[in-house]
Amino acid sequence: LSSNNPTSWNWDFGDTSGSQDQHPSHEYAAGDFTVSLTAANSYGQDTETKIDYISVSGGGGGGDYFCDSLAVTGGSIASGSHLDVHASDDTYLVLNTAKLSGKYTDKVEYNFDTGLSSLSSLTVTIECHPDSQTPHRQRTNLWNYSTSSWTEIDDRNLTSTSDTTAVISVPSPASYISPSGEVVVYVRTGDLAKSAWQHYVDLVKITAAP
């Protein structure tokens, strides 16, 4: 909007970065930022500065988050990786069960880096199926940073060998986020005394708001 037909622009975004574009875009971290623009033409230049013009609240606005990594603590990976649980697309993380305390099961921890500084709401979505032998028990836990222990948020039976989706709304979610914005979901599937089987996981995500 600079007048007198400027031919150059010099932006100072207030966070040690800048731009010489006329219409730049810039992504800010959390904080308050003073922005300056110097516009120039062949007759001279002028600078306008706006104090604390940009204000970004910590942690962003929330939304859907997909795991950055996973760890299998019971059983083993037959195929796939954490990338295969980022979309409901019939591309699976396939897990081999193992016998633990006399029962066949698999246990997986999913780690989510949200970048949020707090949680006002949290939902966990899991889509998966066993390859055989139903029902299968599925227990979902969250790491509670207040108590330094796991808190069970859901216990259900999977009754189909087709994909089944569980959408779990978490009450009082504030205790389940670390100071650095991490949420850890722990899922144990299976509680069977029969032979080993495979577990197909199609989607694991959390939906969170600060």
Side-chain angles (χ1 to χ4, degrees):
L1 299 178
S2 303
S3 58
N4 298 317
N5 301 312
T7 55
S8 67
W9 298 263
N10 188 3
W11 293 87
D12 181 342
F13 296 129
D15 60 356
T16 72
S17 62
S19 174
Q20 294 184 339
D21 293 340
Q22 181 179 4
H23 303 295
S25 66
H26 181 63
E27 183 173 331
Y28 283 92
D32 296 320
F33 304 93
T34 295
V35 181
S36 295
L37 169 62
T38 299
N41 61 19
S42 59
Y43 296 97
Q45 65 183 34
D46 189 27
T47 299
E48 182 165 352
T49 299
K50 292 185 179 291
I51 305 297
D52 293 338
Y53 186 60
I54 299 293
S55 181
V56 181
S57 60
D64 288 343
Y65 298 90
F66 303 95
C67 64
D68 303 283
S69 63
L70 59 82
V72 179
T73 62
S76 61
I77 295 178
S79 63
S81 72
H82 75 93
L83 298 175
D84 296 307
V85 300
H86 288 191
S88 176
D89 58 2
D90 294 334
T91 301
Y92 296 96
L93 168 69
V94 184
L95 301 162
N96 293 319
T97 56
K99 198 170 188 179
L100 301 170
S101 301
K103 300 293 182 70
Y104 283 96
T105 186
D106 64 69
K107 301 161 72 173
V108 187
E109 294 179 18
Y110 300 90
N111 296 278
F112 299 84
D113 185 3
T114 69
L116 300 175
S117 57
S118 62
L119 287 179
S120 63
S121 67
L122 178 63
T123 301
V124 179
T125 301
I126 304 167
E127 182 181 335
C128 62
H129 74 267
D131 68 346
S132 61
Q133 301 181 28
T134 58
H136 280 65
R137 187 180 184 187
Q138 177 176 284
R139 285 166 280 181
T140 305
N141 294 261
L142 287 169
W143 182 254
N144 189 317
Y145 288 91
S146 296
T147 63
S148 297
S149 62
W150 294 106
T151 299
E152 185 173 272
I153 59 169
D154 190 67
D155 186 348
R156 69 180 62 207
N157 283 325
L158 304 180
T159 59
S160 174
T161 55
S162 299
D163 279 354
T164 301
T165 302
V167 180
I168 307 157
S169 295
V170 180
S172 304
S175 297
Y176 303 116
I177 188 165
S178 75
S180 61
E182 289 187 336
V183 176
V184 184
V185 178
Y186 164 56
V187 183
R188 177 173 180 168
T189 307
D191 193 9
L192 301 177
K194 301 178 182 179
S195 59
W197 44 277
Q198 287 190 321
H199 180 205
Y200 290 73
V201 187
D202 197 15
L203 173 67
V204 180
K205 72 173 184 178
I206 63 172
T207 304

